[in-house]
Amino acid sequence: MLNNKSIAVVVPCFNEESQIEMVINNMPEFVDRIIIVNDLSKDNTGEVVKSIIESDKFKSNITINKIKITPGFYNRAELILEKANEEEIKFYTPQKYYKTEKQSKIILINHNENAGVGAAISSGYKWCKDHKIDCTAVMAGDGQMDPTELESICNPVIYNDIDYVKGNRLIHRSAWLVIPKVRYFGNSVLSILTKLASGYWHVSDTQTGYTAISKKAINSIRLYDIYKNYGMPNDILVKLNIAFCTLREVEIKPVYQVGEQSKMKIFKVIPRVSFLLLKSFFKRLWIKYLFRDFHPLFLLYNMSFILFGFSVPFAIKIISKLLAGELLNSFTFLGFLFLFITGFQAFLFAMWMDIQDNERLYK
């Protein structure tokens, strides 16, 4: 515990038999529960975790049980939410808990099918949500996250009531020297796109999975709807922004070459996540700035897209005339300039309003 608040760490795993014991053994003492989510590994990851649980090395003196709401005159809304929370389990990846008579710090959740890192984190989050954990962190099962930095990740949630904390490797002075250049480039591209899609304009290392989330935030989003693969860090930022959750980034060191084996193909991930972010941008725009809290930037963004759309036929006509060596019609050229420049101005004004409105969420 930290400041008398419960701490859990979700560790998504796929084929990490060589690394998972190191990750568990180096977990700080203040962690109350380590939620290992085995995403149907093809190796002995599950067996390694079972042997650690049965060894009594991580015996816990703290009991954490599900807390049922006592029916009362004024808590019908809470009872409805509790029932919905129980029924939503059918939307998660089919799973089985490893049952043991020992009260261990380690909880092992085995997926019945391989669903992806995002789905594994969702399953871990679900356990923490059900058990009302105050602060839930995420650490990879491959040892790429320094456990000594976990307290700095959790502290803003525990002491400052921040809803979501992300580690940031790009601001560490060793980033350019340690992070593989292809990954650095891919991270930078996705970070730029995520700023626009999520509304968290100050976030700069969107792809790190070293995070901590508050009990309030974990209850404010549909956990089962989180993107199931490597776009999960980007998708959850959009969902948290729609829910008006506060964010902070904490400097962490980049860790590579500790025995991990990367399963991410960067040039496959970028197009897939970029499309996800495009859809997420429009989702945020409509839900947050029309249905939940109307803002003029909704009109400006959409007006810019309409004007850009109307400028396309003019642009095509201009290009075709130039390729054919024909003279341009002044009406066509001026029409394109008016639509494009007006659309671009509307887009910039909307972006400026977006940045100003979301400033309150970045702490």
Side-chain angles (χ1 to χ4, degrees), residues 188-205:
S188 300
V189 170
L190 292 177
S191 292
I192 292 170
L193 295 175
T194 304
K195 289 173 185 282
L196 179 62
S198 71
Y200 290 119
W201 291 90
H202 294 288
V203 71
S204 61
D205 184 7

Side-chain angles (χ1 to χ4, degrees), residues 304-333:
S304 71
F305 300 141
I306 292 170
L307 291 171
F308 283 144
F310 278 127
S311 73
V312 170
F314 288 88
I316 293 172
K317 195 169 183 179
I318 290 170
I319 293 170
S320 63
K321 289 280 188 182
L322 289 174
L323 291 176
E326 300 176 11
L327 290 175
L328 286 176
N329 184 299
S330 58
F331 173 78
T332 303
F333 184 69

Side-chain angles (χ1 to χ4, degrees), residues 185-186 189-190 193 207 227 231 264-279:
F185 168 75
V189 170
L190 292 177
L193 295 175
Q207 302 315 113
Y227 191 71
M264 183 175 70
K265 308 300 180 185
I266 193 71
F267 291 109
K268 288 185 178 180
V269 168
I270 288 181
R272 193 181 305 156
V273 176
S274 298
F275 182 65
L276 168 70
L277 290 172
L278 178 64
K279 294 189 299 181

Side-chain angles (χ1 to χ4, degrees), residues 249-263:
E249 284 193 301
V250 175
E251 180 180 330
I252 60 171
K253 66 176 73 73
V255 179
Y256 288 87
Q257 297 178 348
V258 291
E260 81 283 355
Q261 293 183 350
S262 176
K263 305 170 186 70

Side-chain angles (χ1 to χ4, degrees), residues 13-82:
C13 295
F14 179 67
N15 295 345
E16 302 293 357
E17 66 175 357
S18 63
Q19 300 290 96
I20 190 60
E21 187 170 4
M22 177 188 72
V23 172
I24 294 173
N25 286 337
N26 286 291
M27 201 66 69
E29 281 296 318
F30 64 80
V31 174
D32 301 301
R33 289 295 183 271
I34 306 167
I35 321 299
I36 308 294
V37 186
N38 179 23
D39 195 30
L40 198 66
S41 296
K42 297 176 182 177
D43 63 4
N44 292 317
T45 298
E47 297 303 317
V48 171
V49 177
K50 286 179 187 178
S51 66
I52 297 172
I53 293 173
E54 297 300 333
S55 70
D56 276 345
K57 186 177 178 181
F58 286 87
K59 187 176 181 180
S60 175
N61 297 321
I62 298 174
T63 301
I64 299 177
N65 294 319
K66 288 186 179 181
I67 302 171
K68 301 289 288 185
I69 296 175
T70 304
F73 187 75
Y74 290 107
N75 65 351
R76 182 170 177 270
E78 284 80 4
L79 290 169
I80 290 172
L81 284 173
E82 184 178 62

